[in-house]
Amino acid sequence: MTDAILDDATALADYAAEWIAGRIAAAQGIFRFALTGGYTPRPTYERLAARKDIDWSKVEFYWGDERFVPHDNPSSNYRLAHDSLLKPLGIEAQKIHPWPVDGTPDAAARVYETMLKRHYGAERFDMRRPLFDLQLLGLGDDGHLCSLFPGQASLKETQRWTLAVPTGRPEIRLTLTFPAVESSKAIAFLVSGKAKAPAVAGARAGDTSLPAGLLKPQGEFFWLMDRDAAALL
Ligand code: 6PG
């Protein structure tokens, strides 16, 4: 586990953008990047959008989870990344893999799982060959990651790569499961603010009542935080 603790949210966004850009620049071939939603990542995405020096043509964009709302809905994780990162960079549509948000939530999750398996080239994960190059994760005050919420059966899913999450938030959610989240060369939490400090401390202490405390990274594992989020460490 590698930590970066920055003075404030602005410094965190500066650092996180530089760090992500460095990982993309150092990668050989395709770079499969699973984006997080929520409010925290926007400043980081905006800074990445200014990095015209990066070879973005090798990056394939995915999402760790999505709200089951139209892509132009203000709470859409797709819209967050589209507006702050993908459109400003002019990323071509075939490199962008949003969750479908039509039909039923369960069917949409299964469509995404089928797409991930096609891109991965297998029906089952091989720990020696991770699906993603970088899984960028936010952390909820309750210790959730993606849309894996405390106490839900989704936390125990070991076969499916994706699930629909009908309860726990105002919108129905779509989410990667732990096996898919963990199939990544690198996982990085991006966490800002005092409200997250208990969840940060609990997750890092292995508190299994928190979804983030259940995470078993297979590759490199990073915490990118500001001082407020790291206040209880
Ligand atoms: C989402 C995210 C979710 C988020 C955390 C933190 O769809 O909202 O994927 O897991 O990362 O809830 O959200 P904030 O960054 O808004 O605090």
Side-chain angles (χ1 to χ4, degrees):
M1 184 155 45
T2 305
D3 294 349
I5 301 176
L6 286 301
D7 282 343
D8 54 33
T10 300
L12 174 62
D14 291 342
Y15 179 90
E18 184 62 32
W19 181 81
I20 293 167
R23 292 200 68 98
I24 294 171
Q28 305 298 319
I30 293 176
F31 188 91
R32 293 200 181 103
F33 184 5
L35 299 169
T36 182
Y39 292 103
T40 303
R42 181 183 289 274
T44 296
Y45 294 165
E46 289 168 344
R47 284 158 175 78
L48 280 173
R51 294 298 301 266
K52 311 299 186 200
D53 58 307
I54 295 296
D55 175 10
W56 292 99
S57 68
K58 62 186 174 181
V59 184
E60 299 275 349
F61 292 91
Y62 305 81
W63 280 258
D65 72 329
E66 185 53 282
R67 291 87 181 279
F68 194 70
V69 296
H71 284 152
D72 61 359
N73 185 298
S75 68
S76 164
N77 289 340
Y78 167 82
R79 177 169 169 181
L80 162 68
H82 171 270
D83 293 354
S84 60
L85 178 64
L86 305 176
K87 183 176 179 199
L89 283 175
I91 302 294
E92 48 186 336
Q94 59 263 40
K95 297 290 179 65
I96 301 171
H97 310 292
W99 291 77
V101 287
D102 52 359
T104 69
D106 185 60
R110 291 177 186 279
V111 164
Y112 210 66
E113 178 165 319
T114 300
M115 180 271 297
L116 291 174
K117 289 180 173 176
R118 187 171 69 249
H119 288 199
Y120 185 62
E123 288 290 316
R124 301 174 67 84
F125 287 122
D126 174 346
M127 285 187 71
R128 295 162 300 178
R129 188 170 69 85
L131 167 60
F132 298 111
D133 292 277
L134 177 58
Q135 178 85 231
L136 187 65
L137 295 176
L139 182 68
D141 299 359
D142 61 359
H144 79 259
L145 56 102
C146 293
S147 287
L148 296 168
F149 300 117
Q152 294 203 356
S154 56
L155 302 180
K156 295 183 170 60
E157 179 58 51
T158 58
Q159 302 308 309
R160 293 285 304 277
W161 295 20
T162 66
L163 287 174
V165 181
T167 60
R169 285 295 181 280
E171 315 93 352
I172 293 172
R173 297 288 189 96
L174 304 171
T175 189
L176 296 182
T177 58
F178 275 117
V181 172
E182 292 164 356
S183 181
S184 188
K185 190 172 177 185
I187 293 178
F189 274 108
L190 179 65
V191 195
S192 171
K194 206 173 284 299
K196 306 291 176 75
V200 168
R204 290 164 58 102
D207 178 351
T208 55
S209 71
L210 306 176
L214 296 168
L215 188 68
K216 297 182 181 61
Q218 294 171 9
E220 301 169 85
F221 187 25
F222 301 87
W223 286 85
L224 313 179
M225 303 172 277
D226 60 19
R227 281 197 196 295
D228 282 345
L232 299 179
L233 298 184

